Amino acid sequence: AQRVTQPEKLLSVFKGAPVELKCNYSYSGSPELFWYVQYSRQRLQLLLRHISRESIKGFTADLNKGETSFHLKKPFAQEEDSAMYYCALRAIGQGGKLIFGQGTELSVKP
Amino acid sequence: DTGVSQNPRHKITKRGQNVTFRCDPISEHNRLYWYRQTLGQGPEFLTYFQNEAQLEKSRLLSDRFSAERPKGSFSTLEIQRTEQGDSAMYLCASSSTTGGDTEAFFGQGTRLTVV
């Protein structure tokens, strides 16, 4: 079965501290992995995807197939990073549907 | 706003009533998805269309739920005989299978409360 697990419902850090939001997945094939973000009162939007291997707003994520993980990292958190973060998996050849994790709320305190 | 548009934004209904939601995708997108999100959970896939064809339905989509995309543009999601367990945020997303970028863009959702 395809599943995405985000073990932390809430992650609270101080401004300037490093951040790591954990994501583990279960899928027998080669998935596409994404991080979506939802800021307060805004719609869900794509933050980054593993195939692009880029850094967006200082965030990076590396796909580790051995550990089936796709953790999101940022070296220095900013207050504007406070939001809900969802890890999602897309299986190849299944019409583009996304399987989401439960989400992690990131709170960055001043 | 040229993004995905959903109406209404909020709907309160009595148990047993029927409700219908509308989604207008980004105009050139041929795929349209419906998701449901309950409190404290991530979005769960319900169904998707490619053009006007409904290609997959989740087992979450009971017989009381029906979705249409008659002309391959906007879509409607109807829930018949609503139950309190149907209370959730219903999200619509669209994407394109052409042009190389298959990113899914989400609407702001319709929040349904069944009382």
Side-chain angles (χ1 to χ4, degrees):
Chain A
Q2 300 159 14
R3 188 166 56 240
V4 176
T5 302
Q6 294 179 248
E8 304 136 330
K9 287 185 86 73
L10 172 65
L11 187 62
S12 184
V13 301
F14 287 102
K15 176 182 171 182
V19 168
E20 183 179 49
L21 286 79
K22 291 184 167 46
C23 172
N24 288 89
Y25 67 91
S26 173
Y27 178 60
S28 57
S30 290
E32 295 178 86
L33 272 297
F34 305 84
W35 277 99
Y36 279 80
V37 61
Q38 187 167 28
Y39 300 103
S40 179
R41 300 182 190 280
Q42 293 188 27
R43 65 187 69 197
L44 202 58
Q45 58 186 280
L46 179 65
L47 179 63
L48 53 80
R49 65 187 90 185
H50 89 272
I51 57 173
S52 60
R53 302 182 65 82
E54 57 192 343
S55 172
I56 303 291
K57 299 184 179 182
F59 284 97
T60 58
D62 290 318
L63 178 60
N64 185 323
K65 292 186 178 180
E67 296 183 357
T68 59
S69 68
F70 187 57
H71 303 327
L72 184 68
K73 300 177 184 179
K74 185 169 183 176
F76 308 103
Q78 303 298 314
E79 289 180 68
E80 56 265 30
D81 295 329
S82 296
M84 281 296 300
Y85 290 80
Y86 296 94
C87 183
L89 174 156
R90 185 166 73 186
I92 308 246
Q94 291 194 14
K97 72 180 181 188
L98 294 162
I99 309 295
F100 285 89
Q102 304 95 313
T104 296
E105 180 182 356
L106 175 64
S107 174
V108 182
K109 299 184 187 312
Chain B
D1 186 356
T2 56
V4 179
S5 176
Q6 292 188 245
N7 287 288
R9 294 288 307 280
H10 304 273
K11 179 71 177 178
I12 300 174
T13 190
K14 291 184 178 179
R15 190 176 53 183
Q17 297 294 303
N18 299 344
V19 294
T20 300
F21 311 140
R22 177 179 170 126
C23 172
D24 287 88
I26 292 172
S27 59
E28 60 270 24
H29 283 180
N30 58 344
R31 280 188 174 168
L32 186 149
Y33 305 84
W34 285 100
Y35 292 84
R36 181 172 69 186
Q37 185 174 21
T38 53
L39 203 60
Q41 300 297 317
E44 295 174 292
F45 169 77
L46 292 178
T47 188
Y48 92 96
F49 294 83
Q50 180 152 323
N51 300 312
E52 65 276 7
Q54 187 173 17
L55 296 186
E56 185 176 349
K57 291 193 287 187
S58 162
R59 58 179 173 77
L60 294 176
L61 213 64
S62 77
D63 292 344
R64 298 183 297 105
F65 287 69
S66 62
E68 293 183 342
R69 195 183 183 198
K71 297 182 180 178
S73 57
F74 73 92
S75 176
T76 57
L77 178 67
E78 180 183 17
I79 309 175
Q80 297 182 323
R81 305 180 303 281
T82 52
E83 302 172 355
Q84 287 190 319
D86 298 331
S87 296
M89 177 73 86
Y90 289 85
L91 297 170
C92 177
S94 69
S95 69
S96 174
T97 57
T98 61
D101 186 354
T102 58
E103 176 183 346
F105 292 83
F106 283 81
Q108 292 190 296
T110 295
R111 182 171 294 284
L112 173 66
T113 302
V114 182
V115 298

